[in-house]
Amino acid sequence: MTADCTLFLHVGPPRTATTTLQKYVLTSAEHYLCLQKRAYRSHNAAAQDEGLQTTNVGYIVDYNDFISRLESLQDRGLASTDEKDLLFLIINETAGILCRQQLHSRRRWQQLLTQALGLAARVVVCGSEYRGMVIASESLSNTPLAITGKLSSVYDSITLPTQVICDAWKANGLGPLPCISFCLRDPEEYVLSRYMRYSANKMMRGEGRTALSPEEWLTVQVQGHKLKPWSSALFPAYHKSYIRYHSQYGFVRPYGFRELLASEDVFDLIGLAGERRVAFSAFPTENSFPTLMEVACDARKRICGLLSNLQILSQLHKEQLFE
């Protein structure tokens, strides 16, 4: 396929206002085909809404179902929100599946991802209102240990979804080098927030009693980081390393969390040119966890203390670029 489509990946590390961007910003984009996760809707729940088969860890495993759903989208032009949601689901989940090391029939899953990306690129090229396409999801930043907290998961994955998508895009000539945008925040605050998200997910699944303590969780993350840096929830806290990793696969546009909060033009900050000017302060605060505040106060002291004792805090500060 010959196309002149610009691909924009918005990577959403947890607790960097990704829900606000999903709910208020990207949904109002006028000049980009936006394929994104819906705010407050898990990927597993979205898959079940579509009647797609999933496992207990959320992987969609029915390749033939994916193919038939993709074929049903071929002639529709992605005119409806539901059609865009389905295509996003196919791209996002297929990229996640391709990150797994022990995957049978890898080639056909790669072909599926290419077909899905190609469909979106054709819609952009054929639509005069579009300047490019956006794929936005927190799962683009999900590292194996960030989700499971189990060291064994390091060996179940070989890369991050951003690499998988960018490699498929470039290998098949679907357009120029992708642009990868993400928000980075103060390393200590990020690590604390990542643990709080882990705890919140455990509570929402009724597994709060099985959640790792701050010390246990951080110890696992440190061990994983030593084995494969990108596998650990700590990875986005190493700003320079995180940027270098993504620079291998596209043009990187990082920005700081405080910079986002103070922004008077959010679209321009994250890299989407030509959209209307809108200030971040115009949007309400989203996705807070008031029931976890007591846990957060206790976890802050314990996590920061352990980071310092393990001599990791100085490394994080050495790599820090944003607050």
Side-chain angles (χ1 to χ4, degrees):
M1 170 188 167
T2 300
D4 186 20
C5 177
T6 298
L7 172 61
F8 181 96
L9 294 179
H10 186 266
V11 181
R15 311 304 290 159
T16 57
T18 50
T19 300
T20 298
L21 294 177
Q22 289 168 355
K23 191 172 182 180
Y24 300 106
V25 179
L26 295 177
T27 52
S28 65
E30 298 178 352
H31 303 297
Y32 292 84
L33 172 64
C34 288
L35 307 175
Q36 65 157 342
K37 175 186 175 295
R38 286 194 187 184
Y40 299 120
R41 193 64 174 157
S42 71
H43 296 293
N44 199 33
Q48 291 173 352
D49 287 346
E50 293 290 344
L52 294 166
Q53 180 183 353
T54 63
T55 70
N56 60 353
V57 294
Y59 291 120
I60 297 174
V61 296
D62 193 335
Y63 171 83
N64 291 328
D65 199 3
F66 260 34
I67 282 291
S68 64
R69 299 302 179 98
L70 183 59
E71 289 176 349
S72 73
L73 293 174
Q74 294 292 335
D75 299 321
R76 298 185 192 177
L78 304 182
S80 72
T81 299
D82 287 342
E83 290 165 354
K84 294 175 184 177
D85 287 348
L86 177 57
L87 184 59
F88 164 75
L89 187 65
I90 292 173
I91 292 173
N92 192 69
E93 296 297 337
T94 301
I97 288 170
L98 283 166
C99 289
R100 294 162 62 190
Q101 191 167 26
Q102 313 239 342
L103 175 66
H104 299 295
S105 304
R106 178 174 298 276
R107 179 174 296 181
R108 69 174 186 171
W109 284 101
Q110 290 173 330
Q111 291 173 342
L112 173 60
L113 178 60
T114 297
Q115 291 175 31
L117 290 171
L119 170 59
R122 285 195 297 273
V123 170
V124 170
V125 172
C126 296
S128 59
E129 73 273 27
Y130 292 130
R131 296 187 177 193
M133 61 180 283
V134 180
I135 300 175
S137 174
E138 301 99 311
S139 65
L140 294 177
S141 71
N142 278 347
T143 64
L145 283 179
I147 301 300
T148 66
K150 298 178 180 179
L151 198 59
S152 60
S153 64
V154 172
Y155 305 100
D156 294 334
S157 185
I158 58 175
T159 186
L160 294 182
T162 43
Q163 177 183 343
V164 171
I165 293 174
C166 288
D167 284 348
W169 183 267
K170 292 183 288 185
N172 293 278
L174 297 176
L177 198 65
C179 178
I180 307 171
S181 176
F182 45 76
C183 179
L184 297 173
R185 62 182 301 177
D186 175 85
E188 292 171 77
E189 290 298 319
Y190 167 77
V191 175
L192 174 65
S193 295
R194 200 60 186 91
Y195 175 73
M196 297 312 301
R197 173 56 63 90
Y198 161 80
S199 298
N201 287 341
K202 281 286 190 178
M203 290 183 180
M204 287 188 290
R205 292 197 298 265
E207 301 172 359
R209 292 185 178 181
T210 66
L212 299 176
S213 69
E215 291 84 0
E216 292 170 332
W217 178 85
L218 186 56
T219 298
V220 169
Q221 303 306 323
V222 171
Q223 291 173 337
H225 192 83
K226 290 179 179 178
L227 291 172
K228 296 180 180 178
W230 54 262
S231 71
S232 167
L234 300 179
F235 193 31
Y238 288 84
H239 292 181
K240 293 180 181 178
S241 296
Y242 198 67
I243 290 172
R244 280 197 300 270
Y245 174 90
H246 288 91
S247 295
Q248 301 173 80
Y249 310 109
F251 296 110
V252 178
R253 188 182 181 95
Y255 55 93
F257 183 62
R258 290 193 179 183
E259 187 180 4
L260 173 63
L261 298 181
S263 175
E264 296 294 322
D265 191 344
V266 179
F267 280 115
D268 181 69
L269 177 65
I270 66 179
L272 298 182
E275 294 290 345
R276 63 189 179 89
R277 184 182 180 91
V278 60
F280 188 85
S281 59
F283 308 120
T285 301
E286 295 284 338
N287 218 11
S288 61
F289 299 99
T291 59
L292 296 178
M293 288 304 100
E294 291 185 9
V295 178
C297 291
D298 178 57
R300 181 185 300 276
K301 296 178 182 178
R302 296 163 69 178
I303 285 178
C304 291
L306 187 55
L307 284 172
S308 180
N309 291 340
L310 294 174
Q311 299 183 332
I312 294 174
L313 203 55
S314 59
Q315 298 174 22
L316 294 178
H317 288 164
K318 187 176 180 179
E319 292 217 8
Q320 182 176 355
L321 297 172
F322 301 98
E323 296 183 351

